[in-house]
Amino acid sequence: MLSEFQALEARDPRRMQRVRQVISHLLRNQFIHVEDRGSSGLLDTLLKSDIERLASDYFDVAGYRLIVRESEGWAGILPDTEQISHPRMRIDETLVLLLFRRLWEEGVQEGDVERYGSVLVTLNAAYDAYQDMVARARRPTLSIAEFKALVATLERRAIVRLGELDDELEDIPLTIRALVATVAGDEFLAHLEELLARPDFQDSDIEPVNKNTDADDEDEA
């Protein structure tokens, strides 16, 4: 594999630089979405068949699977659980990810789907739904500011996108992208639903999947 990278470097240094940028972005943020600033060119590079193969081989060595969903406008890396264990996530981030999967599915079922399979809600509506969820789980509720900060961490991973504040409505558009269905897949969903229903639910119960490789360990599950 190293020889293939060296051959590309010798043949086309500028293209090799783009490959480095793609790999670096995925290592840092886990996902690329075409609608994010500066990401369209990265995704175009990755969609070249020879580049996709090189990148896929690179991440395979590290224990990750490269997933490319051109129709949904994204690409990303997920742990190959046959090679490495699931990274751990903060409980609150896990619950919000579960919430966004639900809200996305509801939007799809109601036909409120936008380009690339995204579903548009608002930050306040999502926060109201979050409060209902944590009431069931008997967890302390994050403040709206803490909730927004957590949403911002998911935005950095391209899972959602926050719009600009609407002063009149005092609310912010929130786009939930189709990749949430892959990040919080059916196994993830079923496991969490089971845990949330338990009367003895504790922080230490959750070991969910698909965390950013560079995430900190604060408040781990």
Side-chain angles (χ1 to χ4, degrees):
M1 183 178 65
L2 179 59
S3 63
E4 293 180 85
F5 281 109
Q6 292 172 332
L8 179 60
E9 177 87 69
R11 184 174 68 252
D12 192 340
R14 293 185 64 182
R15 195 175 194 189
M16 183 60 200
Q17 179 59 27
R18 294 293 290 172
V19 173
R20 288 194 183 97
Q21 290 173 346
V22 169
I23 291 175
S24 176
H25 183 97
L26 289 172
L27 287 172
R28 184 173 61 254
N29 300 308
Q30 191 177 4
F31 298 103
I32 296 172
H33 196 281
V34 68
E35 293 181 318
D36 288 336
R37 183 178 180 181
S39 293
S40 178
L42 295 177
L43 193 59
D44 285 344
T45 298
L46 187 57
L47 288 173
K48 303 290 190 296
S49 59
D50 59 327
I51 301 304
E52 182 179 341
R53 179 178 56 79
L54 275 176
S56 180
D57 289 346
Y58 176 91
F59 288 115
D60 182 64
V61 170
Y64 286 82
R65 294 179 293 113
L66 175 66
I67 298 175
V68 179
R69 298 281 172 80
E70 184 176 3
S71 64
E72 296 178 354
W74 67 274
I77 55 174
L78 297 175
D80 182 346
T81 56
E82 293 184 359
Q83 299 186 54
I84 61 176
S85 60
H86 290 311
R88 300 163 72 90
M89 291 176 65
R90 292 167 49 193
I91 294 296
D92 289 321
E93 185 176 355
T94 301
L95 293 176
V96 171
L97 190 58
L98 172 61
L99 169 69
F100 286 161
R101 164 70 190 258
R102 285 180 178 173
L103 293 177
W104 180 81
E105 285 188 336
E106 289 172 3
V108 170
Q109 291 169 2
E110 294 171 5
D112 297 330
V113 182
E114 303 197 337
R115 192 179 182 189
Y116 298 117
S118 297
V119 168
L120 180 64
V121 296
T122 70
L123 183 66
N124 287 343
Y127 183 65
D128 289 343
Y130 160 78
Q131 289 180 304
D132 290 340
M133 173 182 286
V134 294
R136 270 201 313 124
R138 292 174 289 280
R139 280 189 57 79
T141 304
L142 297 174
S143 69
I144 183 64
E146 292 170 326
F147 180 79
K148 182 182 177 183
L150 198 155
V151 172
T153 67
L154 297 179
E155 183 180 35
R156 287 193 289 273
R157 294 169 62 196
I159 296 171
V160 300
R161 186 173 188 178
L162 284 166
E164 297 297 324
L165 174 66
D166 186 318
D167 292 325
E168 183 176 345
L169 297 177
E170 297 184 345
D171 207 349
I172 300 175
L174 173 61
T175 300
I176 305 174
R177 290 166 168 167
L179 69 90
V180 74
T182 301
V183 178
D186 292 338
E187 180 182 351
F188 173 97
L189 198 64
H191 179 56
L192 287 180
E193 290 283 10
E194 179 182 347
L195 289 174
L196 292 175
R198 285 171 44 179
D200 60 339
F201 172 70
Q202 300 291 332
D203 284 6
S204 59
D205 286 326
I206 291 184
E207 295 184 8
V209 299
N210 304 340
K211 184 70 174 98
N212 184 356
T213 55
D214 292 330
D216 60 43
D217 295 327
E218 179 187 359
D219 190 23
E220 285 186 336

